[in-house]
Amino acid sequence: MQVFTDPAGLSGPDRRRVLVPTMGALHDGHLALVRRAREAAGPAGELAVSIFVNPIQFDRPGDLAAYPRPLEDDLERCREAGVDLVFAPPADAMYLPDRSIHVHETSLSRTLCGATRPGHFDGVCTVVLKLFNLLRPVAAVFGEKDYQQLAIIRRLVRDLDVPVEILAVPTVREDDGLAMSSRNQRLSPEQRGDAPRIHRALAAAVSLRPTHPAPADLLAAVRADIESPLNRVDYLELVDPETLQPVVSPDNPDRPALLASAVFYGEVRLIDNQLLPPA
Ligand code: PAF
């Protein structure tokens, strides 16, 4: 496995390269992305993982400082998973002090995480475009847990004619249903025990939707199931899965809808979502 920290050391791929962009602290959810990438690259292709805690997508300095960075463990997991190339640059190698250009998304980022984390998706789009330019993959793999991120990156490659195929992998969960996330390790044992209620409540909405056709009623029922003395709901929204715009009353039960939430446990913010099929 080759490890690069300096962008200048990278060379264009001489075989089919598939990239898994990550911020490290790799868990089984990332490994599902890595397996999908290997499948897409083929045995003769090149499987690349980037590990970079991207400072410009953090809106809270405390969250950036507390983000786990177990680089040696991550490299070991990559080796075991058969990764061919890791790109793990330091922040100052990616961003010059006088940089003045970034990507700005103006529609899909207005709701959900984008509404409560100003600038977050511009930071994600900017770094993903830079990673695509530096590593020149033919395809890149993202998780459906970050549904809005996935939708925005699909829009990024469509609108800017970026020749990278975007592949999606369903959310990987712990045995109790909690969506895997690098942030889970920052939960206290009590918070960790409480957090699976997020997925339980979102999943229950699939059967609640037919009896709660008004979005406000459905959202109130789900919110009541998510809330506990240990958490604070940042947002809970029912949106169109393509436009990410809120589903307004009366709900059209013939259309799928996406139920998405972000929930704080102390300083730790967890996201999850559930696609609701047409009723
Ligand atoms: O999903 C993530 O881990 C990050 O947002 C990404 C795509 C690696 C960009 O920093």
Side-chain angles (χ1 to χ4, degrees):
M1 184 175 82
Q2 289 182 292
V3 180
F4 294 90
T5 52
D6 183 356
L10 292 168
S11 54
D14 50 11
R15 53 200 169 121
R16 189 180 161 77
R17 180 180 283 169
V18 178
L19 173 67
V20 181
T22 80
M23 297 205 300
L26 302 181
H27 51 65
D28 289 351
H30 292 112
L31 296 185
L33 307 184
V34 166
R35 283 194 294 278
R36 179 69 187 92
R38 170 54 73 198
E39 198 179 280
E46 189 180 39
L47 173 45
V49 170
S50 60
I51 298 176
F52 179 62
V53 182
N54 176 31
I56 68 165
Q57 71 184 71
F58 283 79
D59 49 311
R60 291 176 299 132
D63 193 28
L64 172 62
Y67 205 87
R69 292 166 172 83
L71 185 60
E72 285 312 314
D73 292 353
D74 286 346
L75 293 178
E76 195 44 44
R77 297 206 88 174
C78 285
R79 252 179 229 111
E80 284 166 10
V83 171
D84 299 307
L85 182 160
V86 171
F87 177 51
D92 59 1
M94 288 293 275
Y95 297 116
L96 296 172
D98 64 345
R99 70 191 178 88
S100 56
I101 293 182
H102 71 275
V103 179
H104 179 44
E105 203 286 331
T106 59
S107 171
L108 297 174
S109 56
R110 289 190 173 177
T111 55
L112 308 177
C113 290
T116 58
R117 301 187 68 189
H120 168 68
F121 286 112
D122 290 353
V124 170
C125 286
T126 301
V127 80
V128 167
L129 188 59
K130 283 170 72 72
L131 290 168
F132 286 175
N133 285 335
L134 287 165
L135 287 153
R136 305 210 218 128
V138 292
V141 186
F142 295 86
E144 286 177 358
K145 179 171 80 77
D146 297 284
Y147 188 99
Q148 186 175 23
Q149 170 171 282
L150 177 62
I152 289 173
I153 287 167
R154 286 192 196 286
R155 183 65 67 88
L156 169 78
V157 300
R158 186 200 76 174
D159 286 0
L160 298 185
D161 306 302
V162 183
V164 177
E165 185 187 359
I166 303 303
L167 305 170
V169 169
T171 304
V172 180
R173 300 186 178 280
E174 303 287 354
D175 290 344
D176 57 14
L178 180 65
M180 285 192 185
S181 163
S182 308
R183 292 189 163 90
N184 293 351
Q185 58 184 271
R186 290 168 52 202
L187 297 171
S188 70
E190 209 188 0
Q191 291 169 333
R192 175 64 189 82
D194 195 69
R197 62 170 54 244
I198 304 170
H199 172 60
R200 273 201 304 275
L202 296 178
V206 174
S207 42
L208 280 180
R209 190 180 184 201
T211 53
H212 294 67
D217 291 346
L218 181 67
L219 290 170
V222 176
R223 179 179 278 265
D225 285 346
I226 291 182
E227 281 176 341
S228 88
L230 296 183
N231 69 25
R232 177 171 69 76
V233 176
D234 187 29
Y235 69 76
L236 172 69
E237 284 190 52
L238 190 68
V239 297
D240 181 286
E242 278 168 32
T243 63
L244 304 187
Q245 295 311 302
V247 174
V248 285
S249 193
D251 186 10
N252 178 353
D254 297 333
R255 294 260 314 142
L258 182 82
L259 187 59
S261 74
V263 178
F264 275 105
Y265 279 88
E267 286 295 301
V268 183
R269 185 173 176 280
L270 304 179
I271 59 169
D272 204 347
N273 66 75
Q274 172 75 48
L275 199 60
L276 305 184

